[in-house]
Amino acid sequence: MEKREKLYEGKAKIIYATDVNDLVIQHFKDDATAFDGVKKDTVLGKGVANNNISSKLFTLLEKEGIKTHFEKKLNENEMLVKSVEIIQVETIVRNISAGSFCRKYGVEEGIVFDKPTVEFSYKSDEFHDPLMNDDHIRVMKLATEAEIDEIRTKALQINEILKKFFDSIGIIVVDFKLEFGRYKGEVILADEISPDTCRFWDKETKKKLDKDRFRFDLGDVEETYAEMMKRIGG
Ligand code: TMP
């Protein structure tokens, strides 16, 4: 597998072309940003942790019948993935109130919902990822109604699989963000699933085990990514 030119560089990852059609390399960086890139730093070992964690979770989801862009882990901070057309909508599933849900609606953190919520936002740093409903997505032509329905169903299935797995290692899945892409006429899960894109709390201590430690300067940032990689067995 020959690595070719850089196709895209985002805040936390780089995509490289390969000599194989339809496959690209997803490289995980140690760069960390928050608040649409306003806060920036390096978190040593984050790239390796997120690559290993995402590889493990994509493998688990595939085993449970969820199609993802994951092909295989290539090395410590790179994976081989299918080249998808990313749908410019972020899908967020919440099991417990936290983050922007608390800020927006003035509720306390930690309220356990009787059923998960699914919300969508426009993937745009410029406009600060604004919340969108199905109609907004449709009129903006970001996805069709059928695609939105499929994404919502898949997001809830993924939530059940992740909650069960994380419960078995003593971790609560508070909320998470997914990105989907189009590939050969199908909508498949893309991007990453990691402490950068999920909120995880320890079941016993309720300690935050995710990027909130970086966002809000809670300390133990590097240690937390390393601990999550170890607990997930990535
Ligand atoms: P929020 O509470 O800030 O809306 O975040 C919900 C979830 O989405 C949380 O698990 C973190 C994740 N997330 C991202 O992956 N990327 C982002 O840009 C933001 C704001 C949140």
Side-chain angles (χ1 to χ4, degrees):
M1 172 75 49
E2 202 188 311
K3 189 163 159 180
R4 296 265 168 95
E5 80 275 20
K6 190 193 277 190
L7 295 175
Y8 172 81
E9 178 157 7
K11 294 192 294 287
K13 301 188 289 297
I14 306 173
I15 301 291
Y16 295 98
T18 69
D19 53 356
V20 179
N21 236 356
D22 294 332
L23 296 181
V24 294
I25 292 169
Q26 177 161 263
H27 175 108
F28 289 77
K29 302 192 281 187
D30 281 351
D31 298 355
T33 68
F35 316 116
D36 302 325
V38 171
K39 181 179 167 75
K40 278 192 200 120
D41 211 338
T42 300
V43 175
L44 286 178
K46 179 170 84 74
V48 169
N50 285 358
N51 184 45
N52 279 282
I53 292 166
S54 288
S55 295
K56 170 86 186 186
L57 296 176
F58 283 139
T59 303
L60 167 75
L61 291 170
E62 287 276 353
K63 231 182 264 161
E64 299 286 337
I66 303 288
K67 287 193 182 160
T68 78
H69 70 157
F70 182 71
E71 288 281 317
K72 63 175 176 178
K73 190 179 128 184
L74 291 175
N75 55 52
E76 280 307 290
N77 54 9
E78 291 178 327
M79 56 167 71
L80 188 66
V81 299
K82 295 182 177 78
S83 175
V84 302
E85 179 202 345
I86 289 283
I87 295 172
Q88 298 300 315
V89 173
E90 300 191 347
T91 304
I92 294 146
V93 178
R94 300 181 191 272
N95 296 304
I96 298 177
S97 65
S100 70
F101 187 93
C102 296
R103 268 202 317 280
K104 263 187 213 142
Y105 307 121
V107 298
E108 65 184 292
E109 184 180 82
I111 298 167
V112 180
F113 302 149
D114 54 352
K115 262 170 59 174
T117 67
V118 179
E119 73 194 44
F120 300 111
S121 65
Y122 185 25
K123 186 172 153 63
S124 161
D125 277 352
E126 188 188 351
F127 297 107
H128 309 294
D129 297 349
L131 196 64
M132 280 188 136
N133 69 21
D134 296 31
D135 287 339
H136 301 150
I137 297 171
R138 180 176 50 80
V139 297
M140 290 277 290
K141 299 201 185 316
L142 300 174
T144 65
E145 276 174 88
E147 284 174 333
I148 303 165
D149 288 344
E150 194 180 340
I151 287 171
R152 185 182 280 105
T153 303
K154 279 190 184 167
L156 289 169
Q157 285 169 347
I158 291 165
N159 186 39
E160 293 309 312
I161 298 164
L162 293 181
K163 276 197 304 186
K164 190 168 161 212
F165 169 73
F166 279 97
D167 184 66
S168 76
I169 57 167
I171 290 169
I172 300 168
V173 178
V174 175
D175 58 31
F176 58 91
K177 184 266 296 182
L178 302 172
E179 293 183 25
F180 291 86
R182 300 187 185 94
Y183 182 78
K184 297 186 178 174
E186 278 190 294
V187 171
I188 65 174
L189 181 65
D191 195 54
E192 65 178 290
I193 306 181
S194 73
D196 273 12
T197 62
C198 305
R199 284 198 175 89
F200 297 123
W201 295 349
D202 185 272
K203 207 154 79 175
E204 299 299 320
T205 65
K206 301 289 189 301
K207 184 180 176 185
K208 291 180 165 67
L209 298 172
D210 56 64
K211 194 175 157 188
D212 272 352
R213 304 211 71 81
F214 167 78
R215 291 190 188 98
F216 303 109
D217 299 315
L218 303 178
D220 291 342
V221 180
E222 271 101 354
E223 292 80 357
T224 296
Y225 282 90
E227 182 190 336
M228 285 301 287
M229 176 165 73
K230 200 166 144 211
R231 282 174 78 165
I232 292 166

